[in-house]
Amino acid sequence: MFQLLDIIGTIAFAMSGALTAMNKKMDPFGVFIIAFVTAVGGGTLRDVLIGRTPVGWMLDLKYVYVIAAGFILAVIFRKKFDRLRTSLFLFDTIGLGVFTLIGLEKGINIGLHPVICIALGTMTACFGGVIRDILCNEIPVIFRKEIYATICILGGVMFFLLRELSFDNDILYLATSLVIISVRLMAVKFKWYLPTLENK
Amino acid sequence: MFQLLDIIGTIAFAMSGALTAMNKKMDPFGVFIIAFVTAVGGGTLRDVLIGRTPVGWMLDLKYVYVIAAGFILAVIFRKKFDRLRTSLFLFDTIGLGVFTLIGLEKGINIGLHPVICIALGTMTACFGGVIRDILCNEIPVIFRKEIYATICILGGVMFFLLRELSFDNDILYLATSLVIISVRLMAVKFKWYLPTLENK
Amino acid sequence: MFQLLDIIGTIAFAMSGALTAMNKKMDPFGVFIIAFVTAVGGGTLRDVLIGRTPVGWMLDLKYVYVIAAGFILAVIFRKKFDRLRTSLFLFDTIGLGVFTLIGLEKGINIGLHPVICIALGTMTACFGGVIRDILCNEIPVIFRKEIYATICILGGVMFFLLRELSFDNDILYLATSLVIISVRLMAVKFKWYLPTLENK
């Protein structure tokens, strides 16, 4: 189940990367690389910072194949993205939940403090998109719009609260991902934004 | 003493990051992340390149708290930055000196060549600002203006010269940071710049 | 021989970095740093991702000296680059071939899958240029123009095909670099481009 969700999230992230790159009129190699770093960038940064090397996608070819599939789908359906927007958004939201959990878990496994684990979860879920935007020469969208990363942090906090109450691991995982996914859906439906901070 | 200066430098770097991010009209999450990477980015890159993982700030929550404090101060006083400019500049200069020394020390500890140690010191002091500028979609300011990094290199060279003359560690540290801090103050006061190189 | 080609490639990459930075009117420190990351950026990313730390250039000062030489040459001859364009392009192409092979080799040495080794080779050859373009606030040129990275991938695939046929290592290396170098020369001569993908 978790494995399947991981794959769905990876495909969705790869497609979102490919889409952004095609908006910038890149060539197929550029589009593929952007798809790749969007999908694995967050996990790669996390692995490098905690010293888990060679990083994950080098040891499990599954990710390369899944991303290649996402890239091909994105290229084939590139004229029809408007109609696919809703499904893609749902997949992306699943990815957000699953990737946050994976990051939390890696941090817990090596005994890091909950605050740092939450940072790792958020990084895993959000940093692929940050690298995508930097490579496309944009200010990262998660710094300006949508309460994207904030939801990961919220999910992480809830995870550790429930854990204190010694819930079972399965429940913990299920509850955390459901919270992340449903808060994201509501945030977009009801247009919840963080205000921007200005010093002028 | 050194600990205290490290904290002052971290707060100043976090505030300079927050300030730049608020100029770009980011939301609070974006401002916090930029503050965070400005403060720890240089040390994180250094730790990753020398294989000292998990990187420093993951093992010592002090940095998270100090950066959070810097972020909150920057948000509260964001309309008054013009009046605070001088104190912030002083703190930033202290950070420059202290971070250079920390980088030099890590390099020496693992037996790297002085040239590489100086590179590590300069990286520790300057790369947070480079990542800040990349995330804000600007050409890094230290590549264009102010003899910022050059001062770290100068400080590093002096450190190893004094070390050859077998000065005591305390004197070495004190002398190096004083040189970095006072050259920076003079550079800004007397408007010392490096000329730009053009090929047109 | 291989050593010599590695040095030629490093100088060429450093000069291409310095040239781009001077087009952006950077100061000498900025130009040097861009030259440095263009030359070692790809190999550094590779080393970090596979956990080979401290990264290569920290353990062998040769690279620092070679890059410094490239930087000085670029500054001295900066008004004459139009006449030097052809030699620089040749050197750069040699670098492309040699760096791809070095990346392939590192991957094989630690037992990674051929697909990942090809990714490491391509990264070693191309990522310095990507970091250069990000620091100069441009969309990386290899994502938009020229079949640069594609040639590295092609070379990598050929390498593993010939290896299956159990050719000798020397022949493998020679054939792969010759293919990469000659395809690049032809690609530029006959203006081979990948089409851009657009979703509009």
Side-chain angles (χ1 to χ4, degrees), chain B residues 89 92 96 141-151 184 187-188 192-194, chain C residues 27 29:
Chain B
F89 168 73
D92 183 69
L96 196 69
V141 67
I142 69 158
F143 295 162
R144 290 177 297 137
K145 287 183 203 159
E146 279 200 37
I147 56 163
Y148 196 89
T150 314
I151 296 172
R184 169 107 199 266
V188 169
W192 294 343
Y193 293 104
L194 293 177
Chain C
D27 66 30
F29 172 77

Side-chain angles (χ1 to χ4, degrees), chain A residues 19-127:
Chain A
L19 188 64
T20 311
M22 289 188 291
N23 275 330
K24 290 280 176 175
K25 303 192 199 309
M26 292 191 182
D27 66 30
F29 173 76
V31 174
F32 181 73
I33 293 297
I34 304 283
F36 201 91
V37 298
T38 308
V40 304
T44 301
L45 179 68
R46 176 202 64 218
D47 285 353
V48 164
L49 294 185
I50 63 176
R52 210 169 138 271
T53 52
V55 298
W57 57 267
M58 292 196 175
L59 302 174
D60 185 351
L61 277 189
K62 181 183 75 190
Y63 293 103
V64 176
Y65 299 139
V66 166
I67 292 167
F71 163 72
I72 292 168
L73 285 173
V75 171
I76 293 175
F77 292 112
R78 69 184 184 275
K79 310 268 183 203
K80 293 175 186 154
F81 258 111
D82 282 332
R83 258 191 290 159
L84 295 168
R85 200 164 295 276
T86 317
S87 353
L88 195 62
F89 169 73
L90 273 172
F91 288 176
D92 183 69
T93 302
I94 293 172
L96 195 69
V98 175
F99 284 22
T100 305
L101 278 173
I102 295 176
L104 285 172
E105 203 186 26
K106 305 277 185 218
I108 292 170
N109 285 345
I110 59 168
L112 295 174
H113 187 281
V115 168
I116 304 298
C117 294
I118 294 174
L120 286 175
T122 308
M123 194 186 284
T124 308
C126 301
F127 229 82

Side-chain angles (χ1 to χ4, degrees), chain B residues 51-69:
Chain B
R52 209 170 137 272
T53 52
V55 298
W57 58 267
M58 291 196 179
L59 302 174
D60 186 351
L61 277 189
K62 181 182 76 193
Y63 294 103
V64 176
Y65 299 139
V66 167
I67 293 166

Side-chain angles (χ1 to χ4, degrees), chain B residues 114-127:
Chain B
V115 168
I116 303 298
C117 294
I118 294 173
L120 286 175
T122 308
M123 193 186 287
T124 308
C126 301
F127 228 82

Side-chain angles (χ1 to χ4, degrees), chain B residues 14 32 46 52 65 97 110 128-129 147 180 184 195 197:
Chain B
F32 180 74
R46 177 202 65 219
R52 209 170 137 272
Y65 299 139
I110 58 168
I147 56 163
I180 293 178
R184 169 107 199 266
L197 288 170

